[in-house]
Each structure stands twice: as C-alpha cells, then as structure tokens.
Amino acid sequence: MADAVVTVFLEKLLKTLAEEGRYVTEFRDLFEKLQTELQLMQCFLMDSDRLKRKNQSIRKILADLRELIYESEDILADCQLQSRDGNQFSQGWLACFSPSKLHFKYQSGKRLKEIIEKITSIKQNISSLLGGPLLFQPEVTNVQEQIPRWSSQVYDHTQVVGLEADTQKIKDWIFEAASNGTQDILAIGVVGMGGLGKTTIAQKVFSEREIERHFDRRVWVSVSQTFTEEQIMRSMLNTLGEASARDDANELLKKINQYLLGKRYLIVMDDVWSEDVVWWQRICQGLPKGNGSCVIITTRIEKVSRKMGVQEVRIHRPKFLNEDYSWLLFRKIAFAASDGNCIYHDLEDVGKEIVEKCKGLPLAIKAVGGMMLCKTPYYREWRRIANHFRDELTENDNSVMASLQLSYDELPSYLKSCFLSFSLYPEDCVITKEQLVHCWIGEGFVPLRSGRSSTDAGEDCFSGLTNRCLIEVVDKNYHGTISTCKMHDMVRDLVLKIAEEDAFYTQKSLNCRHVGISNKMDKGQLSENQKLRGLVSTTKTSEVNKIESSIAKKFSECRCLRVLDVSKSIFELPLSSLLYHIGSLQHLTYLSLSNTHPLIELPASLEKLSNLQILDVSYCQNLKILPHYLITFKKLKVLNVSHCGSLQCLPKGLGRLSNLEVLLGFRPARSDHGCRLGELRNLTQLRTLGLLLTHGDEVGDSEVNAMVNLQDLENLSVSCFDSHGSDLTSKLDKLCPPQQLHELSLQFYPGKISPIWLNPIALPLLKYLSISFGNLASMHQNFRGDNNIVWKIEGLLLEALSDLELQWGMLQQVMPTLKIVNVSWCPELISFPIEDTGFRGGVWTKEERRT
C-alpha cells in the first residue's frame, strides 16, 4: 500500500503548501523537492503491490519508503502546529526566536534533508531494479482528478443467482418436518468450500416471507473461528431479548429457553469451524423441543455438521454455478448500470474468459464483477485485467483468493487504505458505516475534491468498496441506504495478510500503526507502538469494552494519533481524569467517546485539540454540559451529541463553527445562556441536522426561519421525545425547512395534524419521508399538494402511529413516484397492500406490485 501512503501524504502536502503557513513556507523548498521525488515514483507505485509479491528487494524498499513518508507527514503536521502556535502577528516577532522554535526549525530542516536523500536513493534503486528511469506522469499525481466511476451504490446486493433450487430444497425440508409433527429439533447442514454461497443460501431461506410467517422467532448467529459459549448465547439474546452483563452461562441459557418456550423457532449457526461441539450440545440441551423448530448449520467441514446432530439425509452440498449462471451473476454486477445487460459487444468474450477463471465460485465471480463495474468499458482495459487474472492464477490456484488479490491490486490508492482499516475488526464483526467513514476522514484517507464535503466523499469511498463486493451489506434503512456491513472471512484473510505486510495492523498489535481496542488489550500494545495513528473500538454488537485505568491513561501518550475511538467502553474512573493529558494529542482529528461510562464532563485539556474535525459524544447519558471552548474548534465538521439525556443545551456561540457539516442531537437553549435555534443561520455548510425539541420556548418567534437559507442541508431529523406543553405544536407548525431538503424524519410529533409545511410545494425535492411514534392522526389538507404539484417521494416509513388514518389510494395519488413503503404498528391505515399493518407490518415495493 505504499502508493496509498504516498497519495495521502501528497494530497496533504499540496493542501498545506497552498495554505502558506509560516513554518511550512520556510521549508517550502524542501517540501517541494520531496513532492517532486514522490511524484516521479507514483507511476511505479501504482503497480507496486503486484511487483513486491514477486521481488523481495522491492518489498524491502517499499517498506523503507512507507516509514519515511509517515515521518514526513508527522513533520508536516508539526509545521502546521508551529505555524499556528508561533504566528508572529499574534504573539510578536520575538516568538520566532525562542529556543524551542529555533530547535524545532533546525531539527525539522535537518531531518527533511535526510529523508529527501534517502528517498532519492530509493528512487535510484528502483530504477536499477526496473532497468530504466522513473518518468514523471502528471495524470497520476492529482487525486482530485481521480473521480470514481460510481460514487453511489449501484449493485443490488439482495440479488441471488443460481441458488433458487438450493433454497427451495431447504424450505421443503422445513415444511415437511412441520407437517410430520416431529418433536425433535430439525437439524439441517449446508456444507461446502469457502466462497460457494453457503451463507447466502441460509440468508435467503432465513429472510423469505413464508419462512418469517412459519416461525415465531428467528435467530441468526455468526460463529467465528475464535468464540466462547457465552458469546454465542449473548448473540442469541441480542435478537431474543436482553441479557445482563452479570449473567453467567447458566443464566443466559435459562433466558434463551424462556424466550423460546412454546414457540416455533429457527436458529442459524453460520460458519462453524470447531469440531469440538460441546458448547453446542450444552446449548441444544437447553432449547425447548417440539413445535417444528429448526436449526441450520453452515460449515466447510462435514464432520462438524454431523457432530452437531445433522443426519446425512439433511446435509445439503451446494454445487458450483454452471456456465450460464456464472455469466448471469457476473453480468448483474459488472453491468449493473445497464440492468445487467452487456451492451458492449466487444467485452462479452473477454468477460466470459474472466468468468471462466472463477470456476463457478460465487464469491470469486462477485469480486471480479464488482471490479469490472468500476472499470471503464474499454476492451483494452478488460483485456489487461484478464491477463493479470491469468498471471495471478499461475501463482495461486485458488480462484477466490486470486480474484480478491486482483481486486485489491486494482483499487484506487485511496481505497486501499480504507480497505485495510477492516483488518482491525474481529471476524464476523458488524461494523457501522458511520464509524468507518469517520475514521477515514480522521486519517486523511478520503480524497478532497473541490465542492465535495468530507462526509459525502467518505460515503463515496464506502460505496466504492460495496460496489466492488469487497464488503457485505448487513443492515439498510427503509429506503435502502446501507448502515452496517461485515466482511467475508476469505476477504478478511486477505486484508489481514496485506495489513501485516504493510505494518498497518498486526494480529499481535506490535510494530504497526493501528490497534483495535478490546477487552484483550494490554499496555504492551501501546508502549510498543509509539507511532500509532489509529486506536479504534472494535467491539461486536451487544458487547462492551472494559478498559483498565492503566491502559486508558496510556492513550494520551500516543502522540502521533489521528484517530481515537473508545466508544462502547466502560472505565474504572471518570474519563475526564483518565484522559487528563489528551491535549497532548495535537494531531488528533477524530475523537469518539460515544456510549462510554462514566463520562460526566469532557477533559479540560481537550481545548488544545485545534485540529479536531469529528467529535462524537452520543449515548453518554451522564454528560451534563459541553464546555464553552467547543466553539473554538474551527475545523470541526461533525458534532454528535444525540441521546445525551442529561445534556440540556449546547454552548452559546456554536454558530461560529462555520465548517460544520453534520450536527446531531441539537437541543436549542430555552434562554440566552446557551445556543439558541437562531444560531443555525450561520452554519451554512450543514448537510445533516438532528433537532431535539421538547418545549415551545426553545423556538423563538424570530427563529422559526433559522433553517430556510441552509442551502446545503439535505437531511433533517426532528424528534419531540418527552415533549411538554401544547405551545410546541404551534411552534413546529411555523418552522421553515429549506426547500432543497432530500430526507426528512419526524419522531414523536405531538400534534394531531401534520405540520402545514409538510407539503410538496414547500418541500419539492423531498425523496424520503419517515414518520414514527407520536400523536399524528391525520394529514393537513396541504399534504395533498394540488393538481399540478405532487410529491417526488420515493421512500416512506410509517411506524408506531396508532391513531393515523390514511388511505392507500390517496397516498398513491399524491405520491406517484413511490417505490417503497415500510409500515408497522399503524392499525388505522386503510387499504394498504401490506399485511398486519397494526402489528409487525411489512414492506411494499413497486416492483412487487408489477409482479
């Protein structure tokens, strides 16, 4: 990933040189010489991952180069800090001659010269190994021009090809057992090699509507290679109900039995490796029997399925996809933009040649299909990929691993760093998109293109990996936007291998730049990694970190940190004392204290973190106040204070944070002692805003139009949870959201009639509308629009609105572009084509209506 490290550094260098900081300017000649040397190598570096696998000398050279670039980046960051701290106009010209400043200037200049000499030597060594000089090619040096072919989700990950017979066979077994009235738990095994589609088959069965109706409860458990019996049971209870952190194995199993007693249930144990199945025998003995319940086990090892109680007649062995299905799956991905049709006839033969090398393995086909989706549709480019695939297979006969390696080699440099960040997470870990994007922004992995916000660019990077089928979708919101993901274990094997080779992350967490925070951490992982750039919480769903004070105090000693995420962690002492010296982390750009305990106030030294771009303190229920120095964080782009129940308001002057793009959990002050709603007028770069309104006096008469001129605001959420007084409804009715709003969410709306401004004239560009909980009983007459203006809404969510009366026919009339409607717990809806709207409800899609 040397090309990725160089690309990130060059982008930061170009941006910094443009800002003309005093210390950076004094070293301009050195930085520009360094820039030239690196630009000369960029063309070579683009193919370096492939070359270093074949040449040990190149591997060693690239490792040395990588460390030099990291050091150069640290010097550059220090120069920026010195420029701010020692600005001669603010502190006087004598500050420039203080001993500490002179020492820094001397040492930095000397080290930069040494680095340039070493990089020049590396360049010459590379030229000797390649047998020719490295030539400057400007088209590969400007990341801003490397616009991805697809910056949003293109491929529909729910599509399944060639596995219909497999799923039907398993469903037949399930329904047959139920009709026979068997008292035992039906055990079904899905057995086969990695990448064959075992999990996909189980997921398809698990999620089908008739299976959902057949079973009272469904539980999915991802069983990793390293697991404990307690982890398995806690994962089950995460779906079924709650478990206390103090519960032991016996108590957990007792609760599982209580939740499932008298019910017909389906349990999927996905990806079981261990032949020691004592853990399963204990769990199985505690499960209630009868009622036609079923367990599906997916595994690569047939012996495992037999030990877990699967009989030979109930073992399903998926076959390789045939030639037609293989080509169809490839087309659906590689040509997703044209509905899976190959409209470029000159690409068909070379495309089939690529598919043939995948040997019918769905994972391999998806990997190469995703890669080709993101390539230009030119024969020469496709032929180049086919040749590289052939070469890769000569060295690695495993078509899955060869396709994954090729897909990594062909990633844009900035996506390689994003991809390697998955190495920090444990196997089968469900990861939020938000955490990934924040980490990428914090480390500077996200390329900054003119006119594109950091958060939007981060979303583009995430889409780049999902479109290439390198990460798997776990959860989506009601209109299809991905919220969580995970990584296939074979893809993770590749990530771990590359991350270790490039010292990005090692499983022993030694001599690397990134470490995952978990319960297994020890002080040695921090003391041995003084140059750490990222410390990230990597807990699995429903789990928390329990971090010793001696370890927590060492976080502040990692002076090179850009990212510190300690979310979902419990500490022995208040964080304000454990992170007392956090102000020494001058390079820190992303700090997450989300869902940590105990956090009552932020550390005082946090004030020194002038580089902070993202601050997340969400779900900190004991946090009572945010310090006034928060308004001095001029670079802040994301501020999340949502679900902080004890926090009454934000500090006055928040409107000075003119670079804010995301503000969540904003509760306006009821007096002038805190941040009023009117300050939003100054936050002109806001893309996403989450409002919490509980009292009428939080919205002054002159503040109802505070949002109207926020031209970049696309996503607005308004929650009135725990609201008081009837005057709030009248104030809400007078609000003026900006016309270009793209997505709107109303939660716990206190009024009986929808607000006047919820109409297609006031919100002509609205695409997604979510209304959940509250007292809403009917829609205002303006909601219908008029004969000439109707809604452009494509996605609608209605949830827990017990009094809402709404006719399906009217809704279709005023929302002719509706594509998806998600409804639950709305008993008064009329003629909706969804079963059980007053209970669990379901989803209607336009596609289903056509069929």
Side-chain angles (χ1 to χ4, degrees), residues 605-632:
S605 68
L606 192 71
E607 183 178 6
K608 299 177 183 177
L609 302 185
S610 56
N611 275 323
L612 208 61
Q613 295 182 31
I614 300 171
L615 177 61
D616 186 351
V617 292
S618 59
Y619 294 94
C620 293
Q621 294 294 340
N622 297 319
L623 182 64
K624 295 181 178 179
I625 189 170
L626 286 178
H628 190 263
Y629 65 67
L630 188 72
I631 68 172
T632 66

Short mmCIF file of all heavy atoms in Angstrom, two decimals, residues 605-632:
data_model
loop_
_atom_site.label_atom_id
_atom_site.label_comp_id
_atom_site.label_asym_id
_atom_site.label_seq_id
_atom_site.Cartn_x
_atom_site.Cartn_y
_atom_site.Cartn_z
N SER A 605 -8.17 19.57 29.07
CA SER A 605 -7.10 19.76 28.09
C SER A 605 -7.56 19.51 26.66
O SER A 605 -6.81 19.77 25.72
CB SER A 605 -5.91 18.85 28.42
OG SER A 605 -6.24 17.49 28.21
N LEU A 606 -8.79 19.03 26.50
CA LEU A 606 -9.33 18.84 25.15
C LEU A 606 -9.33 20.16 24.37
O LEU A 606 -9.31 20.17 23.14
CB LEU A 606 -10.76 18.29 25.25
CG LEU A 606 -11.41 17.75 23.98
CD1 LEU A 606 -10.76 16.45 23.56
CD2 LEU A 606 -12.90 17.53 24.19
N GLU A 607 -9.34 21.25 25.10
CA GLU A 607 -9.35 22.58 24.48
C GLU A 607 -8.18 22.78 23.53
O GLU A 607 -8.26 23.58 22.58
CB GLU A 607 -9.32 23.64 25.58
CG GLU A 607 -9.39 25.07 25.08
CD GLU A 607 -9.42 26.07 26.21
OE1 GLU A 607 -9.26 25.66 27.39
OE2 GLU A 607 -9.62 27.27 25.93
N LYS A 608 -7.08 22.07 23.75
CA LYS A 608 -5.87 22.25 22.94
C LYS A 608 -5.94 21.57 21.58
O LYS A 608 -5.06 21.78 20.74
CB LYS A 608 -4.65 21.71 23.71
CG LYS A 608 -4.39 22.40 25.03
CD LYS A 608 -3.23 21.74 25.76
CE LYS A 608 -2.99 22.38 27.12
NZ LYS A 608 -1.89 21.69 27.86
N LEU A 609 -6.97 20.76 21.34
CA LEU A 609 -7.02 19.96 20.11
C LEU A 609 -7.61 20.79 18.96
O LEU A 609 -8.74 20.58 18.52
CB LEU A 609 -7.84 18.69 20.34
CG LEU A 609 -7.33 17.77 21.45
CD1 LEU A 609 -8.14 16.49 21.52
CD2 LEU A 609 -5.85 17.44 21.25
N SER A 610 -6.82 21.70 18.46
CA SER A 610 -7.31 22.62 17.43
C SER A 610 -7.51 21.95 16.07
O SER A 610 -8.13 22.53 15.19
CB SER A 610 -6.32 23.78 17.28
OG SER A 610 -5.01 23.30 16.98
N ASN A 611 -6.97 20.74 15.90
CA ASN A 611 -7.13 20.03 14.62
C ASN A 611 -8.39 19.18 14.56
O ASN A 611 -8.67 18.55 13.53
CB ASN A 611 -5.92 19.12 14.36
CG ASN A 611 -4.78 19.88 13.70
OD1 ASN A 611 -5.02 20.75 12.87
ND2 ASN A 611 -3.55 19.55 14.07
N LEU A 612 -9.15 19.13 15.65
CA LEU A 612 -10.29 18.22 15.73
C LEU A 612 -11.33 18.52 14.65
O LEU A 612 -11.77 19.66 14.49
CB LEU A 612 -10.94 18.33 17.11
CG LEU A 612 -11.66 17.07 17.63
CD1 LEU A 612 -10.70 15.91 17.75
CD2 LEU A 612 -12.30 17.36 18.98
N GLN A 613 -11.69 17.48 13.90
CA GLN A 613 -12.70 17.61 12.84
C GLN A 613 -13.99 16.87 13.19
O GLN A 613 -15.06 17.24 12.72
CB GLN A 613 -12.16 17.06 11.53
CG GLN A 613 -10.99 17.84 10.97
CD GLN A 613 -10.52 17.27 9.64
OE1 GLN A 613 -11.30 16.72 8.85
NE2 GLN A 613 -9.24 17.38 9.36
N ILE A 614 -13.88 15.81 13.99
CA ILE A 614 -15.06 15.00 14.33
C ILE A 614 -15.06 14.75 15.84
O ILE A 614 -14.08 14.26 16.39
CB ILE A 614 -15.06 13.65 13.58
CG1 ILE A 614 -15.05 13.87 12.07
CG2 ILE A 614 -16.26 12.81 13.98
CD1 ILE A 614 -14.83 12.60 11.27
N LEU A 615 -16.15 15.10 16.51
CA LEU A 615 -16.33 14.84 17.93
C LEU A 615 -17.68 14.15 18.14
O LEU A 615 -18.72 14.69 17.79
CB LEU A 615 -16.28 16.14 18.73
CG LEU A 615 -16.52 16.02 20.24
CD1 LEU A 615 -15.47 15.13 20.89
CD2 LEU A 615 -16.53 17.40 20.91
N ASP A 616 -17.63 12.95 18.71
CA ASP A 616 -18.83 12.15 18.92
C ASP A 616 -18.95 11.80 20.40
O ASP A 616 -18.12 11.06 20.94
CB ASP A 616 -18.75 10.87 18.08
CG ASP A 616 -20.04 10.05 18.14
OD1 ASP A 616 -20.93 10.38 18.95
OD2 ASP A 616 -20.17 9.08 17.37
N VAL A 617 -19.95 12.35 21.06
CA VAL A 617 -20.21 12.02 22.47
C VAL A 617 -21.64 11.48 22.63
O VAL A 617 -22.26 11.61 23.68
CB VAL A 617 -19.99 13.25 23.39
CG1 VAL A 617 -18.53 13.62 23.45
CG2 VAL A 617 -20.83 14.43 22.93
N SER A 618 -22.17 10.89 21.57
CA SER A 618 -23.55 10.37 21.60
C SER A 618 -23.69 9.24 22.63
O SER A 618 -22.72 8.57 22.98
CB SER A 618 -23.93 9.86 20.20
OG SER A 618 -23.05 8.83 19.77
N TYR A 619 -24.90 9.06 23.11
CA TYR A 619 -25.25 8.00 24.05
C TYR A 619 -24.47 8.09 25.37
O TYR A 619 -24.24 7.07 26.02
CB TYR A 619 -25.06 6.61 23.42
CG TYR A 619 -26.01 6.34 22.28
CD1 TYR A 619 -25.63 6.59 20.97
CD2 TYR A 619 -27.30 5.87 22.51
CE1 TYR A 619 -26.50 6.37 19.90
CE2 TYR A 619 -28.18 5.63 21.46
CZ TYR A 619 -27.77 5.90 20.16
OH TYR A 619 -28.63 5.67 19.11
N CYS A 620 -24.07 9.28 25.74
CA CYS A 620 -23.43 9.50 27.05
C CYS A 620 -24.48 10.10 27.98
O CYS A 620 -24.63 11.32 28.06
CB CYS A 620 -22.21 10.41 26.91
SG CYS A 620 -20.86 9.66 25.97
N GLN A 621 -25.22 9.24 28.63
CA GLN A 621 -26.40 9.68 29.38
C GLN A 621 -26.07 10.56 30.58
O GLN A 621 -26.92 11.31 31.06
CB GLN A 621 -27.19 8.45 29.83
CG GLN A 621 -27.81 7.64 28.71
CD GLN A 621 -28.89 8.41 27.96
OE1 GLN A 621 -29.44 9.38 28.46
NE2 GLN A 621 -29.20 7.98 26.74
N ASN A 622 -24.83 10.48 31.09
CA ASN A 622 -24.47 11.26 32.27
C ASN A 622 -23.76 12.57 31.94
O ASN A 622 -23.43 13.34 32.84
CB ASN A 622 -23.57 10.42 33.19
CG ASN A 622 -24.28 9.19 33.73
OD1 ASN A 622 -25.45 9.28 34.09
ND2 ASN A 622 -23.60 8.06 33.76
N LEU A 623 -23.53 12.80 30.65
CA LEU A 623 -22.86 14.04 30.25
C LEU A 623 -23.81 15.22 30.45
O LEU A 623 -24.87 15.29 29.83
CB LEU A 623 -22.43 13.94 28.77
CG LEU A 623 -21.67 15.14 28.21
CD1 LEU A 623 -20.33 15.32 28.91
CD2 LEU A 623 -21.45 14.96 26.70
N LYS A 624 -23.43 16.15 31.32
CA LYS A 624 -24.34 17.22 31.70
C LYS A 624 -24.09 18.54 30.99
O LYS A 624 -24.99 19.37 30.85
CB LYS A 624 -24.26 17.43 33.21
CG LYS A 624 -24.75 16.23 34.02
CD LYS A 624 -24.67 16.48 35.51
CE LYS A 624 -25.20 15.28 36.28
NZ LYS A 624 -25.13 15.48 37.75
N ILE A 625 -22.84 18.77 30.56
CA ILE A 625 -22.53 20.06 29.98
C ILE A 625 -21.39 19.92 28.98
O ILE A 625 -20.52 19.06 29.13
CB ILE A 625 -22.13 21.08 31.09
CG1 ILE A 625 -22.02 22.49 30.52
CG2 ILE A 625 -20.85 20.65 31.79
CD1 ILE A 625 -21.89 23.56 31.59
N LEU A 626 -21.44 20.72 27.92
CA LEU A 626 -20.34 20.80 26.98
C LEU A 626 -19.59 22.11 27.24
O LEU A 626 -20.22 23.16 27.40
CB LEU A 626 -20.85 20.76 25.53
CG LEU A 626 -21.33 19.40 25.02
CD1 LEU A 626 -21.84 19.54 23.60
CD2 LEU A 626 -20.24 18.36 25.08
N PRO A 627 -18.27 22.06 27.29
CA PRO A 627 -17.50 23.26 27.64
C PRO A 627 -17.60 24.34 26.57
O PRO A 627 -17.81 24.07 25.39
CB PRO A 627 -16.07 22.74 27.75
CG PRO A 627 -16.06 21.50 26.90
CD PRO A 627 -17.41 20.90 27.04
N HIS A 628 -17.42 25.58 26.99
CA HIS A 628 -17.54 26.71 26.08
C HIS A 628 -16.44 26.70 25.03
O HIS A 628 -16.62 27.22 23.92
CB HIS A 628 -17.52 28.03 26.87
CG HIS A 628 -17.87 29.22 26.03
ND1 HIS A 628 -16.91 30.04 25.46
CD2 HIS A 628 -19.08 29.71 25.63
CE1 HIS A 628 -17.52 30.99 24.76
NE2 HIS A 628 -18.82 30.81 24.85
N TYR A 629 -15.28 26.10 25.36
CA TYR A 629 -14.18 26.10 24.38
C TYR A 629 -14.53 25.32 23.11
O TYR A 629 -13.82 25.40 22.11
CB TYR A 629 -12.89 25.56 25.00
CG TYR A 629 -12.90 24.11 25.45
CD1 TYR A 629 -12.98 23.05 24.52
CD2 TYR A 629 -12.76 23.77 26.80
CE1 TYR A 629 -12.97 21.74 24.94
CE2 TYR A 629 -12.74 22.44 27.21
CZ TYR A 629 -12.85 21.43 26.28
OH TYR A 629 -12.83 20.12 26.68
N LEU A 630 -15.62 24.59 23.15
CA LEU A 630 -16.04 23.84 21.96
C LEU A 630 -16.20 24.75 20.74
O LEU A 630 -15.93 24.36 19.60
CB LEU A 630 -17.37 23.12 22.25
CG LEU A 630 -17.87 22.13 21.19
CD1 LEU A 630 -17.01 20.88 21.19
CD2 LEU A 630 -19.31 21.76 21.45
N ILE A 631 -16.61 25.99 20.98
CA ILE A 631 -16.88 26.90 19.85
C ILE A 631 -15.59 27.41 19.21
O ILE A 631 -15.64 28.11 18.19
CB ILE A 631 -17.75 28.09 20.31
CG1 ILE A 631 -16.97 29.01 21.26
CG2 ILE A 631 -19.04 27.61 20.95
CD1 ILE A 631 -17.70 30.30 21.59
N THR A 632 -14.42 27.02 19.77
CA THR A 632 -13.14 27.44 19.17
C THR A 632 -12.61 26.41 18.19
O THR A 632 -11.59 26.65 17.54
CB THR A 632 -12.08 27.68 20.27
OG1 THR A 632 -11.77 26.42 20.92
CG2 THR A 632 -12.58 28.68 21.30
#
